[in-house]
Amino acid sequence: MDSYAHASTLEQAQLKESRNALANEAFYQAPQNGNAPTYAGALIRQERATDYILPPGVQAYRILYHSLDATRHDVVSSAVVLVPAGPVPAGGWPVVAWAHGTSGVARQCAPSLMKNLYYGNEGLFDFPAHGLAVVATDYHGLGTSGAHQYMNKLAQGYDVIYSVAAARSAVPALGSRWVADGHSQGGMASWSVGEMEHDIADPGYLGTVSVSGTINMPDFVHPLPGEGGESFYTPMVAYGLQARYPQFDPHSMLNATGMVHYDGAVRQGCWYVANALYDGQSIDSITKKGWLDNKFVQSMFHEDAVAGQPLKGPLLVITGGGDVTVPPEGVKATARAACHNHIPLFFTELPGLDHDPTMVQSTAMQIAWIKDRFSGKPAMENCESLK
């Protein structure tokens, strides 16, 4: 998401987002035909996409499909399918179900409504370059109507899982085997996929990669002194809380200073605009005292907790030692807790790397690990090193 090249002013942020934006409102409209199937994973519509900036030979398709929200109610989600260049391998293209990091919470912040697909040059295009098809969900409420349940592991996990089924209906060249991979917000979503697949037990699902994942929500929303933290995520979290719990009032979390730019950050702009609006402010300077004890915030922490439930398939957890957005100690503590709960995984910390550089610099590692899953190699584990 190119987020380590911040726009320095609000005007520059707005210009950056507008230059990357695509207009395609009609495609994302929910169907009005009451006779169409509405089961999770049902494909609603598809189209060949020719308006992205893609590597040579890669084909892209937009899809609209049915998914579930955190309370398992039907929602409509969108996604992009990237098909590698070259002949289709026997059994179809191996699939990476991609879960993106925070792009914003407004409807126009869907990666599929961006010319560069948001993560295009931050590792996403490396997957098809290595013979891996990509199914990249937007998460419902981004692109499609309805509020985005930001930072909810259930909602985002469902969107990832059901994007794969819908994509196969749209692109028959996709194979039955797939791996989940996500960064930041998507790192929590991909971990959630592993938990869900323990019960769903899709035989084609082979494992999960979680990169710089928000898998320790208390540490993400209010890092310890010295761990960093970015204040502009806070209004997005408030927005996501209200989307998940309609009774929640953002005013109970954000103070007057925090509310000044709330609408601009969660409705009028996306990542860059929100970053510019809250530039120079700390999390504590825009929140009310005691907000962490709010019952809805506590419910979010409980619902988003990982490391206590078993996963299907192996797990690769990556963090950056210099990450000031998702503190590495919180990620490591969660991985350690998972190991203590007999959840096998391989954990690695990349020294000195901040949030987005961790994604970029670890892409080759991710691809190697994913290809090992498709080749049937046993996954390495290193829980002993976390004790």
Side-chain angles (χ1 to χ4, degrees):
M1 56 183 162
D2 198 28
S3 62
Y4 52 101
H6 297 183
S8 57
T9 68
L10 177 59
E11 291 74 19
Q12 289 175 338
Q14 292 169 331
L15 182 61
K16 190 178 185 75
E17 291 184 0
S18 65
R19 284 179 171 173
N20 195 31
L22 296 170
N24 194 353
E25 185 175 342
F27 181 82
Y28 297 84
Q29 296 295 330
Q32 302 302 312
N33 180 4
N35 296 322
T38 60
Y39 60 87
L43 179 69
I44 297 170
R45 69 175 66 103
Q46 67 188 82
E47 69 177 17
R48 176 77 182 275
T50 59
D51 45 2
Y52 298 127
I53 303 170
L54 298 172
V58 175
Q59 296 182 359
Y61 300 84
R62 287 188 192 88
I63 62 172
L64 199 70
Y65 65 99
H66 287 279
S67 184
L68 300 173
D69 69 7
T71 58
R72 294 187 60 83
H73 285 100
D74 174 71
V75 289
V76 174
S77 295
S78 52
V80 166
V81 183
L82 300 179
V83 180
V88 180
W93 292 109
V95 172
V96 175
W98 168 248
H100 66 82
T102 301
S103 58
V105 294
R107 186 170 181 178
Q108 69 269 20
C109 303
S112 71
L113 281 170
M114 301 179 189
K115 294 174 185 176
N116 66 358
L117 292 173
Y118 198 43
Y119 270 84
N121 295 319
E122 289 204 15
L124 186 64
F125 291 156
D126 290 353
F127 294 112
H130 287 82
L132 300 167
V134 174
V135 180
T137 183
D138 288 321
Y139 311 134
H140 66 265
L142 303 182
T144 56
S145 62
H148 172 47
Q149 294 180 337
Y150 178 63
M151 288 298 179
N152 183 281
K153 76 167 191 178
L154 302 177
Q156 272 95 81
Y158 287 134
D159 284 339
V160 173
I161 288 172
Y162 294 119
S163 71
V164 176
R168 285 205 197 97
S169 297
V171 185
L174 300 184
S176 61
R177 299 190 302 160
W178 61 285
V179 166
D181 191 342
H183 174 245
S184 195
Q185 177 187 8
M188 175 169 64
S190 62
W191 188 309
S192 179
V193 169
E195 292 179 344
M196 291 175 170
E197 284 295 337
H198 183 266
D199 296 325
I200 296 172
D202 179 351
Y205 167 78
L206 302 179
T208 280
V209 180
S210 176
V211 185
S212 303
T214 53
I215 54 176
N216 190 319
M217 280 295 286
D219 202 38
F220 168 68
V221 301
H222 198 262
L224 297 172
E227 284 190 326
E230 298 277 7
S231 63
F232 69 95
Y233 291 108
T234 309
M236 295 185 191
V237 170
Y239 178 93
L241 276 167
Q242 190 173 50
R244 172 64 182 90
Y245 308 105
Q247 315 95 303
F248 173 78
D249 183 354
H251 289 86
S252 66
M253 175 175 166
L254 300 172
N255 61 22
T257 302
M259 289 301 300
V260 168
H261 297 300
Y262 179 77
D263 197 64
V266 306
R267 294 188 178 91
Q268 297 171 17
C270 298
W271 192 97
Y272 293 98
V273 167
N275 178 275
L277 287 170
Y278 286 87
D279 184 43
Q281 296 177 300
S282 69
I283 294 171
D284 287 340
S285 73
I286 65 170
T287 53
K288 290 185 173 178
K289 188 176 180 180
W291 71 273
L292 291 166
D293 296 323
N294 181 288
K295 67 178 182 179
F296 296 109
V297 174
Q298 289 295 313
S299 293
M300 174 185 68
F301 291 160
H302 176 75
E303 190 162 73
D304 280 345
V306 302
Q309 300 177 45
L311 280 73
K312 180 180 188 293
L315 172 64
L316 171 63
V317 180
I318 302 172
T319 191
D323 195 331
V324 297
T325 298
V326 178
E329 285 306 313
V331 175
K332 190 171 185 178
T334 303
R336 184 182 296 113
C339 288
H340 288 169
N341 288 325
H342 309 290
I343 298 171
L345 55 82
F346 189 91
F347 173 86
T348 186
E349 180 177 327
L350 305 181
L353 291 186
D354 200 356
H355 194 58
D356 287 75
T358 297
M359 175 62 204
V360 176
Q361 297 299 322
S362 70
T363 304
M365 179 192 309
Q366 297 171 50
I367 290 171
W369 189 91
I370 289 168
K371 286 200 164 187
D372 282 347
R373 305 291 74 75
F374 286 111
S375 67
K377 292 183 180 178
M380 293 179 60
E381 302 168 11
N382 67 347
C383 276
E384 289 295 324
S385 68
L386 288 169
K387 292 183 177 178

